Amino acid sequence: MYDADDIVDLKNRKRRRKRLRRFLTILLTAALATGLYFTRDSWYNKLRGIGEQYRTIVNSGELAEGNFPIEVSGGSDYQLELTDRRVIVLSDTYAYFYDADGKRLKRRQHTYKNTVLRAAGGRALLYEHNGKELSVEDEEQVYFTKTYADKLILFARISEQGYTAVVTTSDSYSCELEVYDKWGKGIYKRKCIERVCDLSFINGSKGCVLSFISAENGQLVTNVQEISFSEEGDHWTSPGLNTVGLDVYGFGNGAFVLGDDACGYVDGSGQISSFYTYDGVLAAGASEDGKSAVIINNDDRRKYVMALFSGGSSEALIIDLEEPSIDVIIYDELAYVLCEGRIKAYDFNGGLRSVADVSDSYTGFVRSEDHIFLKGYNKIDRIDYES
């Protein structure tokens, strides 16, 4: 049994422990607040950015004046590319180079037929589809030209590092692949049993992934193959994806195949890691560094969607769009989609990051750091755009 003195002493000890805990809590809170205050420069802006990243930016959509619009003769059949803040326009007779403010830097007449324009790394690649000639140039000089006497150019691609890959016909094989360095010196040659339908440079232009069509069980499928320009043979060849591939996009851990009725990923060992079948008609698709976007229009159901893929094994994230969609690009880890009357930018979590109304009918667009260039019927407009 406790006597009265013991009970009083026990209560006093409890009070002292309670006061001590309260004092330590206040002291710890004060120390934490002091630490946060003196380190606020390192965390405040980041914390503020968390709240801002889901704020939708509404751009004015106001068309630039001055050198804009850039007038293009010959209707809507011209081609538009953007690289290193250079706007490159190809008409049926001329290649034009402009800076981002619409000032013309160069005009060169060409004599190619069925000309195709590609651009990367500040350079333009012009070639004749089913023709014999190509050139690589910028606004200051022509780096090299090629003429093929006994074969035809099926397609060509240029990389950010200035390398050029050309796929041509062949007398004894389905096609031939030849790769040139930035000065036009041949560094790789391959005779292909399969008819290559597209390719994409990888590993800083040290190799590429290529796609070709084959038949499996009576159905056309698309296979992807990885090769290195310093080795013979291939690293791997994927199983067939059940679609007719239109474009292939390589990245650090595999490739993305954009097909006519489906799309899918192949991983770094050549295995199919994901596959998505469209519910409608493909309008456009794009992929960059493993992130991909596909827009699909289903006019019968009046359903217009964009499928977003954040990586090689991810499932499709479906974004419902309110109107028919025309074009899509990926820039700085955002997917930009051109719909009838507006441009929207989404992150790969599905968040709407920015929007701009556009007042005219456009058939495509390209994105620079500060602007969007809009491809009209016979003109190119520019709007400022913040994402």
Side-chain angles (χ1 to χ4, degrees):
M1 296 291 295
Y2 292 105
D3 59 21
D5 292 336
D6 291 335
I7 293 174
V8 171
D9 184 56
L10 183 61
K11 288 182 178 180
N12 288 336
R13 287 200 299 269
K14 286 182 178 180
R15 291 192 190 99
R16 286 195 295 270
R17 284 197 297 269
K18 188 174 181 180
R19 285 196 296 268
L20 180 60
R21 284 197 298 268
R22 186 183 299 118
F23 174 75
L24 291 176
T25 299
I26 294 172
L27 186 64
L28 181 61
T29 302
L32 180 60
T34 302
L36 289 174
Y37 176 79
F38 284 108
T39 61
R40 64 189 184 279
D41 290 339
S42 65
W43 59 264
Y44 178 70
N45 288 331
K46 295 179 181 179
L47 182 63
R48 184 175 58 182
I50 293 175
E52 291 181 346
Q53 65 179 333
Y54 297 108
R55 178 173 62 90
T56 300
I57 298 172
V58 179
N59 292 276
S60 70
E62 182 178 353
L63 299 180
E65 298 179 347
N67 294 319
F68 289 95
I70 298 173
E71 301 290 342
V72 185
S73 61
S76 62
D77 289 336
Y78 68 91
Q79 298 171 54
L80 171 66
E81 293 280 349
L82 177 70
T83 174
D84 287 2
R85 301 185 67 81
R86 294 292 185 263
V87 179
I88 307 171
V89 180
L90 180 71
S91 71
D92 55 351
T93 53
Y94 287 94
Y96 302 90
F97 289 78
Y98 300 89
D99 65 17
D101 292 323
K103 178 183 177 182
R104 193 169 76 188
L105 306 174
K106 174 184 175 181
R107 183 186 76 164
R108 184 176 78 84
Q109 188 172 17
H110 66 82
T111 58
Y112 297 166
K113 298 179 181 179
N114 300 320
T115 314
V116 179
L117 168 67
R118 292 277 178 158
R123 299 183 177 195
L125 164 66
L126 285 71
Y127 69 91
E128 289 183 292
H129 175 63
N130 285 329
K132 295 179 176 294
E133 298 183 49
L134 67 80
S135 69
V136 174
E137 59 193 84
D138 62 14
E139 71 274 13
E140 296 179 350
Q141 62 179 309
V142 176
Y143 290 94
F144 65 90
T145 62
K146 296 291 178 183
T147 301
Y148 301 91
D150 56 351
K151 47 193 176 183
L152 302 177
I153 300 172
L154 298 175
F155 69 88
R157 300 289 182 261
I158 188 169
S159 75
E160 288 293 332
Q161 292 76 28
Y163 287 71
T164 302
V166 185
V167 176
T168 64
T169 57
S170 174
D171 290 335
S172 53
Y173 290 84
S174 293
C175 62
E176 295 182 14
L177 166 64
E178 189 158 5
V179 181
Y180 306 96
D181 68 13
K182 61 181 64 177
W183 302 110
K185 178 183 177 182
I187 61 168
Y188 180 82
K189 200 171 217 180
R190 179 185 182 93
K191 298 182 184 296
C192 305
I193 298 174
E194 304 85 4
R195 180 68 171 261
V196 178
C197 55
D198 193 26
L199 66 82
S200 175
F201 287 93
I202 57 172
N203 300 329
S205 299
K206 296 178 182 178
C208 71
V209 290
L210 51 85
S211 61
F212 59 89
I213 307 298
S214 64
E216 291 182 5
N217 301 319
Q219 183 177 357
L220 292 178
V221 299
T222 301
N223 304 88
V224 181
Q225 193 172 80
E226 181 183 300
I227 61 175
S228 170
F229 300 146
S230 61
E231 303 173 14
E232 294 184 0
D234 57 83
H235 290 175
W236 48 256
T237 300
S238 76
L241 287 85
N242 293 323
T243 186
V244 175
L246 304 174
D247 301 302
V248 64
Y249 302 86
F251 61 100
N253 195 32
F256 174 75
V257 175
L258 177 69
D260 63 344
D261 59 0
C263 61
Y265 280 93
V266 175
D267 65 22
S269 60
Q271 300 303 307
I272 299 172
S273 57
S274 69
F275 190 78
Y276 173 73
T277 302
Y278 311 147
D279 181 20
V281 177
L282 172 69
S287 185
E288 183 178 286
D289 295 331
K291 289 181 167 54
S292 306
V294 179
I295 52 177
I296 303 127
N297 294 332
N298 191 326
D299 291 326
D300 293 336
R301 298 172 55 192
R302 299 198 177 190
K303 183 178 181 182
Y304 313 102
V305 302
M306 177 167 60
L308 296 176
F309 305 88
S310 59
S313 59
S314 62
E315 297 295 324
L317 174 63
I318 303 301
I319 304 296
D320 291 322
L321 304 171
E322 297 176 357
E323 53 274 304
S325 305
I326 300 161
D327 198 9
V328 65
I329 61 172
I330 295 174
Y331 182 87
D332 199 19
E333 297 190 347
L334 295 178
Y336 295 79
V337 57
L338 172 62
C339 304
E340 290 185 353
R342 67 185 61 189
I343 294 175
K344 303 175 182 177
Y346 291 88
D347 61 34
F348 281 82
N349 293 317
L352 179 61
R353 295 287 297 272
S354 54
V355 65
D357 290 334
V358 292
S359 57
D360 207 342
S361 295
Y362 299 101
T363 59
F365 69 112
V366 292
R367 175 80 161 101
S368 73
E369 183 176 349
D370 304 309
H371 314 296
I372 282 179
F373 299 87
L374 298 154
K375 185 176 185 287
Y377 173 73
N378 59 357
K379 65 177 182 177
I380 297 168
D381 284 317
R382 192 195 79 184
I383 62 173
D384 295 337
Y385 200 97
E386 181 184 0
S387 298

